[in-house]
Amino acid sequence: MKSALTIAGFDPSGGAGIQADLKVFHSYGVYGLSVVSALTAQNSGGVRSVMPVSDHFVRRQLTVLLDDMKPDATKTGMLYSEAVVDAVAHVVKRYSLENFVIDPVILSSTGKHLAEKGVPDAIRKKLLPLCTVVTPNIYEASVLSGVHIQNMSDMEKAAVRISEYGAGNVIITGGHLDRIAMDVVYDVEFHYLKGRKIPGEFHGTGCAFSAAITALLAKGKGFLEAAELAKGFMKTAFKRSFRAGGVMKLFDL
Ligand code: PLP
């Protein structure tokens, strides 16, 4: 059985972070491993509080696990601190982790900071050079690239900039831009993943999309096929979304 590891935040509502990632891995028949990098208190209305896990303990969780098991793919989500980004970069190198996917979580859709100030820079310098693919949304891509994204051509410019930091492949998800949720994919050339924007507020979209790519890479798919299949996976997820609490919708993964 193939396995995938997520290094991410804990979400009691089950819609994002570790819980979402594990559900996605499971739905692909991939065995899920998880290392927690931050705890959150949240519900469908958003993240209220964050309790970071220390870099020492993140490193400990990783080394104890990886001394025994080697995941076929690994992804990161909410890392929260620069020290944790450092620890993850160190471990990815030391254990030569392959199929490494970065979801560069910075801000929740309800506006809560899920990363300290220095984290985008640390991701840029330490993690991007190690990754197979990075999956920023418009906001995250703007922060990582320094391009203020307002249209498709800005997305393309940002994707090239982010790849220049060493990211193997870049997918900027366009769901936050306009009615057509067009994702810009950049490897050595541009590809476009077209979708229709589904109205409403959804919790955990970025986590589910990046986890789907991670699971597909773990199963041996190539990057571009994984990206296309993950887009299809999200289309179904949007169709099967439901309202568990009062505000954002959740995915039945
Ligand atoms: N909580 C955790 C642990 C997350 O990783 C994320 C996003 O990555 C969120 C909350 C926010 O999710 P959303 O912005 O989709 O509501």
Side-chain angles (χ1 to χ4, degrees), residues 15-170:
I18 280 184
Q19 284 86 343
D21 294 343
L22 290 178
K23 288 183 223 180
V24 173
F25 295 165
H26 183 74
S27 77
Y28 276 105
V30 169
Y31 186 82
L33 307 167
S34 54
V35 161
V36 63
S37 46
L39 306 179
T40 69
Q42 64 178 298
N43 58 27
S44 77
V47 180
R48 305 287 165 79
S49 309
V50 172
M51 181 186 276
V53 173
S54 74
D55 57 311
H56 295 288
F57 198 65
V58 170
R59 196 186 285 238
R60 182 81 182 134
Q61 290 176 78
L62 285 166
T63 53
V64 169
L65 186 71
L66 296 171
D67 280 342
D68 185 42
M69 299 176 201
K70 173 137 187 180
D72 296 289
T74 297
K75 69 156 284 193
T76 59
M78 173 188 177
L79 298 177
Y80 196 74
S81 72
E82 278 180 72
V84 166
V85 173
D86 270 358
V88 170
H90 176 85
V91 167
V92 169
K93 281 189 271 188
R94 177 172 152 198
Y95 291 88
S96 308
L97 296 182
E98 289 160 356
N99 295 321
F100 179 48
V101 178
I102 302 173
D103 178 17
V105 174
I106 300 173
L107 197 67
S108 77
S109 36
T110 51
K112 177 86 178 169
H113 283 279
L114 301 181
E116 287 175 349
K117 232 179 169 175
V119 165
D121 197 41
I123 289 179
R124 224 175 356 236
K125 293 190 179 133
K126 310 254 170 76
L127 284 191
L128 290 184
L130 304 175
C131 80
T132 310
V133 49
V134 59
T135 64
N137 60 27
I138 299 284
Y139 172 76
E140 291 156 353
S142 295
V143 173
L144 288 177
S145 66
V147 176
H148 178 56
I149 299 176
Q150 289 179 302
N151 52 43
M152 286 285 292
S153 123
D154 295 336
M155 282 171 83
E156 290 171 352
K157 220 181 291 168
V160 172
R161 264 296 158 90
I162 292 168
S163 83
E164 284 166 359
Y165 285 109
N169 300 288
V170 182

